[in-house]
Every structure is written in C-alpha cells, then in structure tokens.
Amino acid sequence: QVQLQESGPGLVKPSQTLSLTCTVSGGSISSGSYYWSWIRQPAGKGLEWIGRIYTSGGTSYNPSLKSRVTISVDTSKNQFSLKLSSVTAADTAVYYCAREILASGFCWFDPWGQGTLVTVSS
Amino acid sequence: SSELTQDPAMSVALGQTVRITCQGDSLRSYYASWYQQKPGQAPVFVIYGKSNRPSGIPDRFSGSRSGNTASLTITGAQAEDEADYYCNSRDSSDNHVVFGGGTTLTVL
C-alpha cells in the first residue's frame, strides 16, 4: 500500500524559499499512470491545489502560484519536492503531498500524506 | 480559472439524509470527487467519478451530477460522518485542479 510522507522545515522566514519533500513508500513513484501533487490548507480554511508533476518531469501549476512554484521529482529516491519562493505570512499552511489520478472526465487524490505545518515568520 | 462553490455549513439529524452540493462551470464537463476531512487529519476521498466509492467507504455515501452542480448524498447519516467535506474537479482548462471551499457537516 502506497504511503506518502512530507518532510522539511516547519518555519521559514518571509521572502525566503519554502522547500518540502514527499517520500513515497510501498511502491515505485514511477509505476502506473499517476501524477504527484502538492496541496495546501491554511488554518481553518479550505484546500488549495499547488501543482503536480509526472515522473517524466512534466508539470502543471496553479496559475495563482505559478510564478513562485517549482515541483521536481527524484525517481532514484522515490521522492518529489516543492519549492515556493518569496514566501509571506499568507503562505502559512499545512502542506500535503498526494498521489493524483487523472481519468477521462475527472481526477482524484489518494493517498495523502499526513501533512506538515509550515509557518512563515521572522 | 474555474471556481467551485459549496455551502459553508450544513446539519443533519442522526439517521437522516443530507445532500451536500458543489457548483461550478467546470462541473458541466467534469465529474467531481469528494473528500471527508476530520479535525487534525488529512482528507480522505469518499467519491470519485460518476459515483464510485473506494473500498472501505460505506455505501451510504453516493454522488451525482446535474448540470453545473455535483452532489454528495449521505443516506442515514451517522455520528462519525461529522466532518468537513470538499469537492474537487479538473478545471475548464483541463490541466489544473480546483477545490470547493468546503462544507462543515454537523450531525445532530
């Protein structure tokens, strides 16, 4: 059974770059027709899709974050990563990684990592 | 990009039926998927596609779509169904994802 686990600093200073890694266990990140996504959730608010990567390296990003986001994959480590530059307090959130399944007419996310809280503060 | 709109809060009496809706232009072209999130936990998907339930999700959960509105119906709500529910779909560009703002369901 595939499991995902986020890791990275829990505190980032304003204007710096937030960096998180998602480690996939229980299966190869390269197997199957899956995408690998990042999603965030500010405290008490809803979910926001940040972007996805395919193991070939192709990416898609939320237009509202596109100028600041980079998602990459390291298939040798079974990991994918998120970098979000020029962070502000508005980027404080729980960050989730998730496997995304794209089908004709719909998509869904399963499984999800447990989430990691990133706080932007000096 | 597209937006998905959900009622912020709903309530249902124990054992009764509740329909949680999600509206958006993208739903005319794409099915919604639905997630349940309990406090302090990651979301768990409960419905995907036309009305498919992953294994382990009770059959009291079902999904439907009409026009630009997707619905998650819980038939015979249980106390453990009290949670936040989110919808998502592919957006009109076909390349991105949108989430609804979430509905907090209270079981009375």
Side-chain angles (χ1 to χ4, degrees), chain A residues 15-45:
Chain A
S15 80
Q16 294 191 341
T17 296
L18 177 160
S19 296
L20 295 174
T21 295
C22 182
T23 300
V24 179
S25 60
S28 170
I29 198 171
S30 300
S31 67
S33 300
Y34 301 120
Y35 293 79
W36 304 92
S37 284
W38 288 96
I39 297 157
R40 70 180 183 179
Q41 184 174 36
K45 297 190 177 180

Side-chain angles (χ1 to χ4, degrees), chain B residues 69-86:
Chain B
T69 301
S71 300
L72 172 70
T73 300
I74 306 174
T75 304
Q78 302 300 302
E80 61 264 32
D81 299 334
E82 188 164 286
D84 292 332
Y85 290 87
Y86 293 91

Side-chain angles (χ1 to χ4, degrees), chain B residues 24-44:
Chain B
D25 288 341
S26 63
L27 297 177
R28 296 187 185 278
S29 304
Y30 301 109
Y31 290 103
S33 295
W34 291 91
Y35 304 84
Q36 177 191 72
Q37 186 180 34
K38 296 183 178 180
Q41 298 182 16
V44 172

Side-chain angles (χ1 to χ4, degrees), chain A residues 13 20-22 38 73 82 88 96:
Chain A
K13 288 181 167 47
L20 295 174
T21 295
C22 182
W38 288 96
V73 64
L82 168 70
T88 69
Y96 295 100

